[in-house]
Every structure is written in structure tokens, then in C-alpha cells.
């Protein structure tokens, strides 16, 4: 089945608080975006990559990232939108007509593995919609506006959601279409599928697969890249 990956990389990295957007910051000498695209390129099951970038960066990303790093599977560089969901939708509008499976993977999660991406593709082909995640380690509490703890959640049922997420193409198309129609903003793509009543499978992933969000995540990611995988 023809499989493509949409890589949202159109954010501005406000929480990183750096001059340049975090997807372009270097880790072990390479831009974060390059780490991520190289893993996706190495996946035998991935046929093409659609990299979604800030509209003003489209030319420079080709010139400074895709060409110099010799990334061969990039089918298109797409202009992103205001929020992540808008960027994924722009990617979805750009993919090949005959793509059957669509993976969405954040540019700023460079520590994925080929095995995990391939497992997502296989599971999405079987069940239609999957996400990778890990069980929560800490105790999670719901807290009111006034700082009062309202309740302690049952940790045994809680998972942190990561990407990759993978879908049958028609399911993801419909989820985005209906989200626009209903004015829904989701912080990931599976939430848009869940609201249609379609089952989403959770695939146990890896604690290494962090999203680089705040400055300390850069330190952690450098250390994880230098270390041998522990699982
Ligand atoms: N993203 C995107 N388009 C947007 C916003 C985010 O493609 N309008 C991408 C980011 O580039 C990143 C991924 O979605 O790869 C996850 O988003 P996040 O970690 O929130 O990144 P930023 O939005 O850049 O960071 P912040 O929220 O701190 O500004
Ligand atoms: Mg953001």
C-alpha cells in the first residue's frame, strides 16, 4: 500500500525561546529536522515525505536542509498554517492521489526508530488509525483555577501521546474535513478521528521519543542521541 508521511515543521517554537525556530536548531551537528527526515527516509515502508514549513521558509528549507543533506524521498515542501492542525491539513491536501496510508510525524521528535514507524504502518493498514504513546510515569492530578487539587486520576489508564500517528487516508481526510466543519481544534490528529467514533489503537512506543519543546529538552535529546537505545 502506498504510504506517505506528513512532517509538520511549520511552528515557530515559542516555548524554546530562541531566535530561530527549534526544528532548525542543531543536535549532534545536524538540524533537528534533518535527524527526523533521515529516519523516515530509512523506512522501507515510506514512499514519500511531505515537509510542511512556515510559508516564508519554503525556498530556504530546500536550499539549506533538503538539498545539502541529500534527502531523496521528499516529494514536496508545503506551506504550513497558523496552528499544527492547519499545517497537517495543508500536507494532506498536497499528498499523492493514490496514497493509501498516511503517517503524521512531528519534525521535532527526532528520536523515533525505523522499527516503530514500520510497526505503525502495519497496524494502520490493519486497523485504520493508530498512535504511539507511553504510559504516564508520574501521578496526574486535575487542578482548579484557584490551585486546589480537584482529583487524582487513575494512572493505570493514562498514556502520553506521541507521534508517529498513522491512518487509512480516507479516515484522516474525513477527520480533518469534519473538524473544520465543526470548528474543532485538536492538538493531535487521532483526537479528530476519536470524535467520529472511530477506534484508535495505542501502540506502546518508547520514552526516548521526546518532543523537543523547551530548552532542557535539547540537553536530554543530545544525551539520548549519544546513548545506546535502552529498549
Ligand atoms: N507545527 C506546525 N505548524 C504550526 C505549529 C506547529 O507544523 N502552525 C509543528 C511544529 O513545527 C512541530 C509540531 O508541529 O514540529 C509540534 O508542535 P509544537 O511542539 O507545539 O511546536 P511549535 O508550535 O513550533 O512550538 P510552540 O508551541 O512552543 O510555539
Ligand atoms: Mg505549538
Amino acid at each position: 500500500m502506498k504510504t506517505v508521511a506528513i512532517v509538520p515543521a511549520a511552528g515557530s517554537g515559542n516555548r524554546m525561546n530562541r531566535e530561530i525556530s527549534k526544528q532548525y536548531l542543531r543536535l549532534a551537528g545536524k538540524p533537528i529536522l534533518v535527524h527526523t527526515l533521515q529516519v523516515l527516509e530509512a523506512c522501507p515502508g515510506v514512499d514519500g515525505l511531505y515537509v510542511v514549513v512556515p510559508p516564508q521558509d519554503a525556498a530556504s528549507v530546500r536550499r539549506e536542509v533538503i538539498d545539502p543533506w541529500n534527502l531523496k524521498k521528499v516529494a514536496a515542501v508545503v506551506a504550513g498554517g497558523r496552528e499544527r492542525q492547519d499545517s497537517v491539513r495543508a500536507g494532506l491536501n498536497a499528498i499523492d492521489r493514490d496514497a493509501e496510508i498516511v503517517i503524521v510525524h512531528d519534525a521535532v521528535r527526532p528520536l523515533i526508530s525505523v522499527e516503530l514507524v514500520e510497526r505503525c504502518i502495519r497496524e494502520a493498514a490493519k486497523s485504520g488509525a493508530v498512535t504511539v504513546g507511553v504510559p504516564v510515569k508520574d501521578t496526574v492530578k486535575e487542578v482548579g483555577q484557584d490551585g486546589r487539587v480537584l482529583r487524582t486520576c487513575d494512572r493505570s489508564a493514562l498514556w502520553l501521546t506521541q507521534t508517529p500517528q498513522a491512518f487509512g487516508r480516507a479516515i484522516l481526510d474525513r477527520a480533518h474535513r469534519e473538524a473544520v466543519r465543526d470548528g474543532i481544534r485538536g492538538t493531535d490528529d487521532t483526537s479528530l478521528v476519536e470524535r467520529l467514533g472511530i477506534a484508535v489503537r495505542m501502540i506502546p512506543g518508547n520514552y526516548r521519543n521526546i518532543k523537543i519543546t523547551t530548552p532542557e529538552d535539547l540537553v536530554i535529546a543530545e544525551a539520548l542521541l549519544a546513548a545506546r537505545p535502552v529498549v
Side-chain angles (χ1 to χ4, degrees), residues 59-77:
S60 60
V61 164
R62 273 225 170 267
R63 198 173 58 237
E64 288 161 32
V65 175
I66 291 162
D67 294 343
W69 297 95
N70 208 16
L71 297 161
K72 298 261 186 262
K73 284 192 188 172
V74 176
V77 176

Side-chain angles (χ1 to χ4, degrees), residues 110-186:
L111 287 148
I112 38 154
S113 65
V114 169
E115 293 69 32
L116 195 53
V117 175
E118 294 286 316
R119 202 155 96 227
C120 281
I121 297 170
R122 283 197 302 276
E123 289 290 329
K126 262 194 286 187
S127 65
V130 303
T131 182
V132 164
V134 286
V136 165
K137 293 183 191 177
D138 295 334
T139 297
V140 180
K141 295 186 192 292
E142 191 180 332
V143 180
Q145 295 280 355
D146 59 356
R148 197 172 78 107
V149 172
L150 300 174
R151 66 183 186 99
T152 301
C153 308
D154 173 13
R155 190 176 63 191
S156 67
L158 294 177
W159 289 64
L160 297 174
T161 307
Q162 306 173 337
T163 67
Q165 300 187 337
F167 309 86
R169 195 248 182 86
I171 291 176
L172 189 59
D173 266 340
R174 184 181 150 211
H176 273 266
R177 234 179 14 248
E178 297 201 13
V180 170
R181 186 196 65 195
D182 301 339
I184 298 291
R185 318 294 311 175

Side-chain angles (χ1 to χ4, degrees), residues 7-17 21-23 33 52-54 80-88 105-109 163 187 211-214:
V7 182
S12 49
N14 293 325
R15 285 168 289 177
M16 187 59 74
N17 210 10
S21 298
K22 60 187 179 175
Q23 58 273 31
L33 178 59
V52 189
V53 302
R82 241 173 68 93
E83 290 180 42
R84 183 185 183 281
Q85 185 175 316
D86 304 315
S87 296
V88 173
H105 182 67
D106 290 330
V108 294
R109 289 188 190 269
T163 67
T187 52
K211 181 163 74 69
I212 298 178
T213 307
T214 53

Side-chain angles (χ1 to χ4, degrees), residues 38-60:
Q38 282 180 333
V39 178
L40 292 168
E41 284 228 346
C43 296
V46 175
D47 299 303
L49 304 179
Y50 292 80
V51 188
V52 189
V53 302
Q56 68 277 13
D57 293 359
S60 60

